[in-house]
Amino acid sequence: MEKFNTISVSKCNKETVAMKEKCKLGMTATIPSGYVWRNTWNPVSCSLATVEMKKCLRGKFIYLMGDSTIRQWMEYFKASINTLKSVDLHESGKLQHQLAVDLDRNINIRWQKHCYPLIASMTYSVKEIEYLTRAIDRTGGEKNTIVVISLGQHFRPFPIDVFIRRALNVHKAIQRLLLRSPDTMVIIKTENIREMYNDAERFSDFHGYIQYLIIKDIFQDLSVSIVDAWDITIAYGTNNVHPPQHVVRNQINILLNYIC
C-alpha cells in the first residue's frame, strides 16, 4: 500500500495491570518461564528486584555443586564482590575445588565439581573427587546455608538411565538434608543450551532438553526452587555452554531474590 489512513493507538481497557509478587522460594513457574526485555530476564509469574549483593549475602554459606556452568557463578561472585578472598585449598588443576570468604561480612562461597562422568580437556586430580550425594550428606545445613546444584552437560553423551539414577540419588540426599535441617535453602540450576554444531551427536540440546524435563519432574515434590537457566539461555540466544557475563548475572539475580 502506498497510502495509509491515520492509525490511532489506544489502550484496550482502563484497568491497571496488577503488580506481580516478588519471586520467592517454592513458586510454580509458567512455561515458558519468562522473557528478555532490555537485556534483562523477566519472569512471567513473579517480579525480580534489584538486590545489593554484599548486603544480601552477609552471614551466608553458599555451596555451589556441579559442573563448570555453576563454576561460572563462583567466578562471577569473586569478580563482583571485591572483598571476597580466595583460599588456597592446595589442590591442582583447573577443576580444583574453590573457596572464597569475606571475613568482615562472614560470607563463605564454595564450589565443588561433581563426580564421573566428567568430560574435560584439562588435567585434574582424581583424589578430591566425590559424588554430590556424599557432599550433601556431609552438609549440616541451617537457615543461612544455600546449596545450589547443577547437573547435566557431562551426562549428555551417555545413556539416559545414567542421568536418571544420578538425579534420583541427589534427590534422596536432598531429602535427608531437609529432614535434618528444614531451614536449608536448596536451589536447582538447570542446564544451559550450548553450541549447535559442536559434536552435536553427543552433546546436542536434544539430549539436554530431555535431561531438563527429567530434573523438573524428579525434584517437583521437594521444597526446592529452580533457576531455569534453560529458558534464560534460550531467550538470550546464547548457544554457548558458558554464556556471557550479563546472562550469568541474570541467573544469579534470581538466586539473590530467593535469598533476600
Side-chain angles (χ1 to χ4, degrees):
M1 296 175 62
E2 295 180 357
K3 295 181 180 180
F4 293 91
N5 293 326
T6 301
I7 298 175
S8 177
V9 179
S10 60
K11 293 183 178 180
C12 59
N13 56 54
K14 296 182 180 180
E15 296 179 2
T16 58
V17 178
M19 291 291 292
K20 290 187 291 187
E21 185 181 3
K22 180 181 177 294
C23 295
K24 60 183 180 181
L25 283 172
M27 298 188 75
T28 302
T30 58
I31 301 175
S33 59
Y35 59 92
V36 172
W37 174 250
R38 293 180 178 175
N39 210 31
T40 301
W41 173 253
N42 296 272
V44 171
S45 56
C46 59
S47 63
L48 292 173
T50 302
V51 180
E52 206 284 303
M53 191 178 296
K54 286 183 181 179
K55 183 178 179 180
C56 178
L57 297 184
R58 178 183 290 272
K60 297 294 189 294
F61 172 40
I62 313 292
Y63 202 165
L64 308 174
M65 304 180 181
D67 53 32
S68 58
T69 66
I70 201 75
R71 189 182 72 222
Q72 274 191 288
W73 287 25
M74 182 71 181
E75 301 296 343
Y76 185 87
F77 281 129
K78 291 193 294 184
S80 301
I81 304 176
N82 55 10
T83 52
L84 274 180
K85 304 299 181 184
S86 294
V87 178
D88 186 359
L89 299 177
H90 301 283
E91 298 179 9
S92 59
K94 175 75 171 177
L95 302 182
Q96 61 184 283
H97 298 170
Q98 296 187 33
L99 173 64
V101 297
D102 180 339
L103 296 179
D104 293 332
R105 294 174 179 81
N106 194 24
I107 301 173
N108 186 317
I109 305 177
R110 178 188 296 266
W111 172 77
Q112 175 176 337
K113 60 183 175 290
H114 64 66
C115 195
Y116 306 115
L118 193 61
I119 302 170
S121 58
M122 299 164 290
T123 58
Y124 60 89
S125 171
V126 299
K127 293 186 292 184
E128 298 87 11
I129 285 184
E130 66 176 342
Y131 286 102
L132 293 190
T133 50
R134 182 173 295 178
I136 296 169
D137 284 339
R138 285 192 295 99
T139 303
E142 42 89 38
K143 65 178 181 179
N144 289 316
T145 298
I146 298 96
V147 177
V148 188
I149 299 168
S150 179
L151 284 174
Q153 296 288 345
H154 295 264
F155 290 82
R156 291 190 182 190
F158 299 96
I160 195 63
D161 61 297
V162 175
F163 181 75
I164 293 173
R165 285 200 301 270
R166 185 65 55 83
L168 288 172
N169 287 336
V170 171
H171 177 280
K172 293 174 183 176
I174 293 174
Q175 273 186 318
R176 295 190 291 270
L177 171 61
L178 295 178
L179 184 63
R180 65 180 175 269
S181 181
D183 292 334
T184 305
M185 184 180 296
V186 180
I187 311 293
I188 306 295
K189 175 196 166 294
T190 61
E191 295 183 47
N192 301 333
I193 62 171
R194 63 182 300 151
E195 299 81 1
M196 297 180 67
Y197 304 108
N198 185 8
D199 201 353
E201 185 175 0
R202 295 195 303 157
F203 290 104
S204 80
D205 287 336
F206 172 82
H207 306 297
Y209 183 62
I210 301 299
Q211 295 178 169
Y212 165 72
L213 296 178
I214 289 170
I215 282 288
K216 294 183 74 174
D217 188 52
I218 285 178
F219 290 96
Q220 64 179 336
D221 66 322
L222 292 181
S223 180
V224 303
S225 283
I226 302 289
V227 173
D228 201 333
W230 184 268
D231 271 6
I232 293 172
T233 50
I234 285 177
Y236 277 101
T238 55
N239 292 322
N240 189 334
V241 67
H242 298 120
Q245 288 291 85
H246 66 275
V247 178
V248 176
R249 182 184 69 246
N250 278 272
Q251 293 176 355
I252 290 177
N253 189 42
I254 300 174
L255 172 70
L256 296 177
N257 272 261
Y258 285 157
I259 297 173
C260 305

